[in-house]
Structure formats: structure tokens, C-alpha cells
Amino acid sequence: MKISQHFARDYSDARARFLTAAATAGATVTSFQNPLRGPETEKLFTDVAVWGPADAERVLVTISGTHGVEGFCGALCQTAWFAEGMTKEMPRGTALVAIHAINPHGFAWLRRVTEDNVDLNRNFVDHTQPYPANPDYEALKDAICPSDWSAAGRAAADARLAAYAEKHGAKALQAAVTGGQYSDPTGIFFGGHAPTWSNRTLLGIFRRFLGKARTVAAIDYHTGLGPYGHGELITGLLSESANFKLTRDWLGDELTSPLIGNSASAKLVGINQLGMEEVIPNARFAAVAIEYGVAPFDETRNALRADNWLHVHGDLRSPEARAIKAEMRRVFYGDTEEWKQKVWDRSVDVTRRLLKGMAEG
Ligand SMILES: [Zn+2]
């Protein structure tokens, strides 16, 4: 059976497939409704499927759709885990908490951000404190998110970005754009000025379902960075912490860290792994993001800029909007058998390694 059969057309299809597979595998589902609707006025939910003993000391957590549109990939891995009978691999006394579409609005609208234009994986900062500064984003913001997305407007903006990259390097441009910013609420990679719905929902799920856990391993599925089909294993846990060492013990030296500087990802602020870690202080916590590459990074960045322009300045019902949304889907979702198979094989391998690590203590 081909793994691609589990890939969904859109958010609602992904949700239906996930709910069916989870129920068939014997999981119990709890749903959290987002206050807004999708593009077809469909209702939006984050669904949590819990499989295994309710009081399990060891819990595997999987999360899809942190970055909305990236949910196609994570939802496949979660749905296939149930549908392909992989729960039989779960060691005794280990539970699975599969969180489907933690950012359902972004998933449904083919956006990376939440309903309030927040990058959920930059939103887990202490909002009572001054926000981290990103002066390079600030200096480039009119070029990163130009109000004029015509060919001429875009060429002028791109020339400024190219000049910056020429002077400071492509890595510096990536850090300026993607590292996270708290000064431009209508821009990209905006971390928000308050915990967004998906942030509160995620931490609420952790408090409710993981309160008794002593050991937790979390996989957060992402796409859009790195070589085609490759799944980089990234942790954002603090590199001297016991939980970082635990994650590295279980996943080995291929684990990368933006803090150490060996990751395709720039250094980030406000990431969800640190937020999750904080609400389960009594558990050991291994956390990894699997980041699957799809398109070259320039294409991905330009798709995000176009999508941002569309939602701030454009017309969502225009033919141009359809083209921009198709491009968003293309750069965050490898629509080939090869890509889907690689995604699944990598996910199974990482999941097995975490289950083994937890079982062996
Ligand atoms: Zn992502």
C-alpha cells in the first residue's frame, strides 16, 4: 500500500482522515474549536487523539501544523501511524498523544501563521518582558514585505535583499528574515504580542494530558527548509540542559541545534519546545522538530512574502490569490511519491528511536 494514500487534499480532509484512523486504532479524541472559520466557512479544530493508558508515565507526543500549511506533512505521519497499525510498536505503559493541526486556521488557509498573523514557533516568549530585538529585520522590513507586489515593486525589493546578502552573507539574511521579530505585526515571522490561541491550546493540552508523565518525547513536524525530502532533526532546547542531552542520547549526533550553529535553521526566539518544557517541569523531556526540505529556500521565502502581501494588501478572491496559494502549497508539500515515502520512513525511524529511548529509561 502506498503511503501517499494518507495525504490529504486540504485541512478538512486531513482532519477527517485523522479522526477516522485514530478512532479505528482505539484512541480517544478531544477537540478544541478555534473561534474562526476556514475559507469554505468550515469549522476549525485542534484534535487530540490519546492512545494507551491514561496514567502512562511515558508519553510520546506528536504535533502537526505548528506552521499551518506545513500540516499536510505532519498530519500524514500521524494518520498513517494509526492507519498502518503502528501502535502495535508502542512499548507497554507508553501512551501516544497525537495533536492534529495545532494551528488549524493556518492549515485551512494555506498559511504559515495563525489567525492573528503570528508565527506560533516564535510566540513562546515571556510577553511581560521586553521583546528580543531584530534590527536587521527592522531595517529591511519594507523590502521583506513590500506593499507593491507588482513586477517592478518586487524587483526593487529583491535588489535590496540581494544587496544585504551580498554584504553580510545569505545566512545573515536568513537570520534577519526568519529569526523572529516582534516589531512588525503585519510582517512575516512575527512572534506576537500575547500568547495566541494555538499557544494557549497547546500548553493547555500539555497540562491536561501530560500531568502524570515522567518522561515525554515530542516530535513537531515541519517542512520548508533543507534539501528535498531530507528530514533534519532539530532541537531548540538549551544546549547545556539535561533535556538537550537526553534528546541527543536518544537521537544521536545527527541532532542539530540552531544554538550550536549546525542547523539549517537560523537561531530562533520564542519556540514552542521551550514553552512545552516549562509546563511539564517534573518530566524528562526530549524534543525534536523534524524539518523536511521541499523547495529551494529563496522560493519558500518568496512564497511567504507573496502570501503576506495577499493577506495585507491583496484580494483573497482574485486569480492572483489562487496562484499564490498554489505556490504556498507547492513549497511546503512535496507532491511526489518519493518525497512522501521519504517523509514517512524518516518519521517512523525517529519515532522508533524515541520509543526505544523512553523504554530503556
Ligand atoms: Zn515550520
Side-chain angles (χ1 to χ4, degrees):
M1 218 171 252
K2 284 183 175 171
I3 205 65
S4 58
Q5 66 167 321
H6 299 298
F7 264 88
R9 274 189 322 277
D10 53 26
Y11 160 76
S12 291
D13 186 32
R15 178 173 195 240
R17 288 165 181 269
F18 175 78
L19 293 178
T20 301
T24 306
T28 307
V29 177
T30 308
S31 301
F32 300 87
Q33 189 174 356
N34 181 280
L36 298 184
R37 299 286 181 116
E40 312 292 336
T41 71
E42 69 272 33
K43 291 180 180 175
L44 304 173
F45 297 88
T46 293
D47 297 292
V48 183
V50 179
W51 183 95
D55 57 352
E57 292 197 355
R58 294 186 298 270
V59 183
L60 173 72
V61 180
T62 61
I63 304 166
S64 64
T66 292
H67 288 139
V69 62
E70 299 173 21
F72 286 100
C73 168
L76 162 93
C77 296
Q78 293 175 311
T79 298
W81 187 263
F82 287 124
E84 297 289 322
M86 300 297 285
T87 48
K88 68 178 184 296
E89 295 199 7
M90 303 286 295
R92 265 178 99 84
T94 302
L96 169 63
V97 173
I99 305 170
H100 183 268
I102 189 60
N103 167 10
H105 190 272
F107 195 162
W109 285 91
L110 302 175
R111 304 205 75 194
R112 191 172 169 281
V113 290
T114 60
E115 57 274 21
D116 39 8
N117 192 48
V118 167
D119 181 337
L120 180 57
N121 209 24
R122 308 290 183 276
N123 186 238
F124 291 82
V125 292
D126 182 349
H127 292 277
T128 67
Q129 296 297 313
Y131 291 110
N134 186 343
D136 293 318
Y137 179 94
E138 193 58 26
L140 289 170
K141 73 177 179 187
D142 299 332
I144 295 169
C145 299
S147 55
D148 176 5
W149 197 246
S150 67
R154 202 176 140 183
D158 288 354
R160 278 184 62 200
L161 297 185
Y164 180 92
E166 177 80 12
K167 190 167 174 194
H168 303 281
K171 245 335 204 193
L173 178 61
Q174 184 187 344
V177 176
T178 71
Q181 55 85 12
Y182 298 84
S183 59
D184 182 14
T186 61
I188 58 176
F189 296 85
F190 171 59
H193 287 162
T196 189
W197 180 89
S198 298
N199 174 330
R200 289 180 272 119
T201 301
L202 179 64
L203 298 188
I205 290 165
F206 262 62
R207 291 190 184 97
R208 177 162 164 186
F209 296 103
L210 301 172
K212 294 197 178 70
R214 310 300 297 179
T215 305
V216 177
I219 302 174
D220 188 24
Y221 292 97
H222 290 260
T223 61
L225 205 54
Y228 187 78
H230 174 67
E232 182 181 336
L233 307 186
I234 308 176
T235 189
L237 296 174
L238 299 182
S239 49
E240 297 305 317
S241 69
N243 284 338
F244 174 89
K245 291 186 179 78
L246 183 74
T247 310
R248 197 186 48 201
D249 284 349
W250 291 353
L251 294 177
D253 286 342
E254 69 169 314
L255 184 73
T256 65
S257 160
L259 296 174
I260 291 173
N262 60 353
S263 170
S265 168
K267 275 186 198 174
L268 312 176
V269 288
I271 63 167
N272 61 2
Q273 291 174 343
L274 296 176
M276 296 186 269
E277 183 181 44
E278 218 173 275
V279 292
I280 48 167
N282 299 321
R284 300 187 306 160
F285 181 52
V288 64
I290 312 184
E291 178 71 76
Y292 294 102
V294 186
F297 181 66
D298 280 4
E299 294 176 17
T300 306
R301 189 182 60 215
N302 287 338
L304 289 170
R305 293 164 75 207
D307 184 62
N308 178 266
W309 173 86
L310 175 65
H311 282 263
V312 177
H313 303 285
D315 175 1
L316 283 165
R317 291 153 304 176
S318 64
E320 191 175 22
R322 280 196 290 282
I324 288 172
K325 290 301 179 184
E327 180 65 359
M328 280 293 285
R329 191 180 158 117
R330 183 187 76 79
V331 300
F332 285 107
Y333 166 72
D335 204 3
T336 64
E337 283 297 332
E338 180 205 2
W339 190 85
K340 292 166 191 172
Q341 191 64 47
K342 279 176 130 173
V343 162
W344 171 240
D345 291 346
R346 179 64 153 169
S347 176
V348 169
D349 175 51
V350 172
T351 307
R352 282 179 176 151
R353 283 148 73 184
L354 291 175
L355 288 174
K356 182 165 179 277
M358 282 202 284
E360 291 174 353

